[in-house]
Amino acid sequence: MHSSVFNEISLVIALGAAIALFMRALRQPLIIGHILTGILAGPTVFGLIHADASFSGLSDMGVALLLFIIGLDLSLKSFSRVGKAVFTTALVQISTITALGYASGRLLDYGKTESLVVGLGLAMSSTIIIVKLLNDKKETTRLYAQIAIGVLLLQDVVATVAKIGLAAKSHKGDTLTTLVQLGVRGISLIVLLYVLVKYVVPRLTKALERSKELLLLFSLGWGLGFALLFTKAGFSIEIGALFAGVSLAGLPYSSEMASRLKPLRDFFLVIFFITLGQTMAPGKLSQVVLPAIALSLIVIIIKPLTVLVSMGGLGYTKRASFKAAVAMSQVSEFSLVFLAAAVASGYVRDEVSATLTLTALITFAVSAYLIKYDNVLYTKLEKHLRLFERKMTMVEHRGGSTNYPIVLFGYRKGGHEFIKTFRNMEKKFVVVDYDPENIDNLERQQVNYLYGDATDPELLDELNLSKSKLVVSTIADRETNHFLAHWLNTHNPSAVFVCSSDRAEHATELYAEGAAYVMMPHYIGSEKISTFIRRNGLNKSEFKAYREKHLIDLQTHIDKHLVDPENEE
């Protein structure tokens, strides 16, 4: 048995490597190659895969590691800022597509239960494909990506409830009681995570930082362990792994965890997509091609439109709305799991199953291209996308023709101190933020603002940031500040760039990239630096002494931490 599994995995990986090289030569998405490998290795072509349970287990590990690593880079605060957009978008998108899918099923002469299964299947989007492609583009911390991931989490919750309802109907159980039990188990696991992170994990910090091998094993045990616990509680692997990652996101060694797990993640994810492909060989294709194409159009065209309308109505820019919408343009792998359960229970015929399976295959392929080339598509469709922008965001376009000597990115964390300073200096300034509540607050204060993402190059061009004298970022996100530092170093090296960081080593990196000053907790915050700006103006040379003193203090802090890690705050 051991030899058989080894032989199968070796053959499939060899086949996958050859197809991946071919896809790379054609400059095509590798995900398409992995799914194609699965189809070829499946029972309808070469029949290489027989140890289904082994491949399924390996693919589940890939799913868990992917979501765990994503969770390590996220925080509950980031989700809370886009909570309104997530709930509204998910509600509109799921209800609209489910209803449309149900109506389409009835038109195709499917039964009521079959049509409902089809509707729910079309409404769900693939967490794995979306997160994998966003991660490949290094955009998981972008505004649109956080909204998309939030919507995916709510979709997973809805899918879990639907699966419970299907199981209860099959066994004539009490759905309400099952849902209450699910909620209690979920809350219990979240409380357990909180208690462990609050009281147990800090005691392990010294040991984990001294041994890289122990850190790797702890990361695997934590991520896979909680993914398993959430699965046993009735939730999906994705939800469990993501919560496990988010719970550790604030730890000083979370980045080290992620970097050590990524090679393992990449291998297991290849197995996941191959396994997914080998299950997607629908029979009777000639009978289901046209219905599958019709359902695919709903997923590829109408589903993104619901996201565009929802986010545009909430005041998000057309770029953020478009990129989030494009990300949702496929059927979920969970839809196929739900479909298989419905077939096994006798609620769905093989013909309906084949149609939805082919729909999934079509949308997986098309969405991979849409997500990869979303910036190109946006450029071509930009004029037409203005229909989906609320008037509030038109300030963004008016701002493009004005030069602002001072630009402030982020209002929530210390931004009000800088606004007070800039007004006292009687300097023209603008605030950039993507939180609708902050925008409403700025509008009430009659502050010039632009609504958008700090990492959007098009927005920076509209700002004429290349002519600004002072750029301040109160956003503590590492990737955002690195992006701004690099952009300014390339396009406007004479500008004063003041930014924020929570960690000494990250602050040192920002200084190396040209930051004039990096604000840190417990050292100097927005209040003191704003006073310095008011007193010394916008001259970059005035920051030199401040900068040099801070670099010395940071190096002392880092050296002390290397000697005694427990001193890290």
Side-chain angles (χ1 to χ4, degrees):
M1 178 65 181
H2 169 75
S3 176
S4 174
V5 173
F6 173 79
N7 292 343
E8 289 180 25
I9 292 176
S10 299
L11 286 171
V12 169
I13 292 297
L15 177 63
I19 293 176
L21 287 171
F22 178 71
M23 298 298 286
R24 178 64 71 188
L26 296 178
R27 297 185 178 181
Q28 303 302 308
L30 290 184
I31 282 182
I32 304 299
H34 300 331
I35 294 175
L36 178 60
T37 300
I39 293 174
L40 293 176
T44 57
V45 186
F46 298 136
L48 299 178
I49 299 177
H50 301 285
D52 293 335
S54 298
F55 275 84
S56 178
L58 293 174
S59 67
D60 285 345
M61 290 184 70
V63 171
L65 289 175
L66 174 65
L67 272 296
F68 178 63
I69 291 171
I70 294 300
L72 289 172
D73 289 330
L74 299 177
S75 68
L76 292 177
K77 288 183 179 179
S78 63
F79 279 120
S80 66
R81 293 174 188 169
V82 295
K84 182 179 179 181
V86 167
F87 280 100
T88 303
T89 302
L91 178 63
V92 173
Q93 183 261 306
I94 294 173
S95 58
T96 302
I97 299 304
T98 300
L100 194 56
Y102 178 85
S104 300
R106 297 298 287 160
L107 287 174
L108 292 170
D109 203 26
Y110 296 164
K112 291 182 179 179
T113 302
E114 289 177 327
S115 299
L116 183 59
V117 169
V118 168
L120 285 170
L122 298 182
M124 303 299 116
S125 297
S126 175
T127 302
I128 310 306
I129 288 180
I130 293 173
V131 173
K132 174 68 169 65
L133 291 172
L134 292 179
N135 189 69
D136 289 345
K137 296 172 69 176
K138 295 181 171 53
E139 294 186 354
T140 53
T141 58
R142 296 282 296 274
L143 167 64
Y144 85 91
Q146 292 185 5
I147 293 174
I149 292 172
V151 172
L152 290 171
L153 284 178
L154 288 184
Q155 287 182 354
D156 282 347
V157 172
V158 171
T160 300
V161 172
K163 191 176 179 182
I164 290 171
L166 182 66
K169 184 177 180 180
S170 300
H171 300 92
K172 301 189 184 301
D174 187 347
T175 304
L176 180 60
T177 301
T178 306
L179 290 177
V180 171
Q181 292 173 348
L182 180 71
V184 171
R185 290 194 293 267
I187 293 172
S188 300
L189 285 172
I190 291 173
V191 171
L192 176 62
L193 273 171
Y194 174 80
V195 171
L196 290 176
V197 172
K198 182 78 172 177
Y199 300 105
V200 178
V201 174
R203 298 177 182 273
L204 305 175
T205 298
K206 190 173 182 178
L208 292 174
E209 290 191 342
R210 284 181 174 175
S211 173
K212 304 303 181 184
E213 182 180 354
L214 183 59
L215 181 64
L216 174 62
L217 288 173
F218 173 79
S219 305
L220 283 170
W222 186 276
L224 298 179
F226 273 101
L228 175 62
L229 285 176
F230 271 83
T231 303
K232 293 296 184 182
F235 296 92
S236 66
I237 291 175
E238 292 92 333
I239 290 178
L242 189 69
F243 269 96
V246 169
S247 67
L248 301 180
L251 297 181
Y253 43 80
S254 60
S255 298
E256 179 72 13
M257 282 182 173
S259 64
R260 291 189 168 273
L261 289 173
K262 284 175 182 177
L264 284 173
R265 173 205 65 188
D266 292 341
F267 169 74
F268 288 119
L269 274 181
V270 169
I271 297 294
F272 168 81
F273 287 112
I274 290 174
T275 304
L276 182 65
Q278 71 99 15
T279 63
M280 301 179 67
K284 304 178 182 178
L285 283 180
S286 60
Q287 299 178 22
V288 300
V289 169
L290 291 179
I293 291 175
L295 296 180
S296 298
L297 291 175
I298 293 175
V299 176
I300 295 168
I301 298 175
I302 300 179
K303 186 194 279 191
L305 282 175
T306 63
V307 177
L308 273 171
V309 171
S310 301
M311 291 182 62
L314 290 170
Y316 287 91
T317 59
K318 59 183 183 293
R319 175 182 281 271
S321 302
F322 177 77
K323 288 172 78 75
V326 165
M328 298 287 174
S329 57
Q330 76 287 114
V331 170
S332 171
E333 64 283 343
F334 192 89
S335 300
L336 301 180
V337 175
F338 183 61
L339 178 67
V343 172
S345 301
Y347 292 118
V348 173
R349 291 169 291 157
D350 290 340
E351 177 191 347
V352 179
S353 174
T355 303
L356 193 55
T357 302
L358 184 56
T359 301
L361 181 58
I362 293 170
T363 57
F364 284 170
V366 173
S367 68
Y369 290 101
L370 292 177
I371 295 173
K372 181 177 180 179
Y373 299 108
D374 57 0
N375 288 322
V376 176
L377 287 170
Y378 174 79
T379 301
K380 294 183 179 296
L381 299 173
E382 181 183 5
K383 292 181 181 179
H384 305 290
L385 294 174
R386 291 178 183 175
L387 294 170
F388 302 100
E389 254 187 339
R390 208 170 77 182
K391 287 185 178 180
M392 184 180 74
T393 62
M394 290 299 107
V395 178
E396 175 180 312
H397 302 289
R398 292 202 299 271
S401 60
T402 305
N403 293 331
Y404 290 99
I406 301 175
V407 178
L408 172 64
F409 289 97
Y411 173 77
R412 183 182 295 270
K413 192 176 180 181
H416 61 283
E417 289 291 338
F418 284 107
I419 288 175
K420 188 190 303 182
T421 297
F422 301 153
R423 279 177 163 167
N424 290 337
M425 294 170 65
E426 297 183 351
K427 295 286 186 180
K428 192 174 185 180
F429 68 94
V430 65
V431 181
V432 179
D433 206 303
Y434 62 62
D435 189 330
E437 292 182 9
N438 289 343
I439 293 297
D440 290 340
N441 197 352
L442 292 168
E443 200 166 42
R444 285 194 296 271
Q445 297 180 56
Q446 296 183 330
V447 173
N448 291 327
Y449 65 85
L450 296 182
Y451 193 94
D453 192 331
T455 56
D456 184 347
E458 186 176 293
L459 177 66
L460 303 188
D461 289 338
E462 291 178 358
L463 268 171
N464 285 329
L465 198 67
S466 59
K467 297 180 180 179
S468 297
K469 302 296 183 184
L470 172 66
V471 178
V472 179
S473 170
T474 63
I475 304 167
D477 179 65
R478 180 186 182 188
E479 296 301 325
T480 298
N481 287 320
H482 277 288
F483 174 85
L484 288 172
H486 178 74
W487 194 96
L488 288 168
N489 198 33
T490 303
H491 298 89
N492 189 4
S494 63
V496 175
F497 179 45
V498 177
C499 55
S500 307
S501 179
D502 293 328
R503 297 181 61 182
E505 55 268 38
H506 295 170
T508 304
E509 292 172 2
L510 288 166
Y511 277 129
E513 292 190 10
Y517 194 81
V518 182
M519 298 177 290
M520 292 189 66
H522 314 303
Y523 188 83
I524 181 169
S526 59
E527 187 173 349
K528 289 186 179 180
I529 196 67
S530 61
T531 302
F532 178 85
I533 292 171
R534 183 169 59 248
R535 188 169 60 246
N536 295 280
L538 310 183
N539 192 335
K540 192 170 185 176
S541 61
E542 297 292 339
F543 283 83
K544 188 174 181 180
Y546 246 30
R547 183 179 187 274
E548 295 302 323
K549 183 178 184 301
H550 195 197
L551 274 169
I552 293 171
D553 291 343
L554 287 173
Q555 191 58 53
T556 302
H557 178 86
I558 292 171
D559 292 341
K560 187 177 181 181
H561 173 59
L562 290 174
V563 174
D564 184 3
E566 287 190 326
N567 284 316
E568 177 75 8
E569 293 181 353

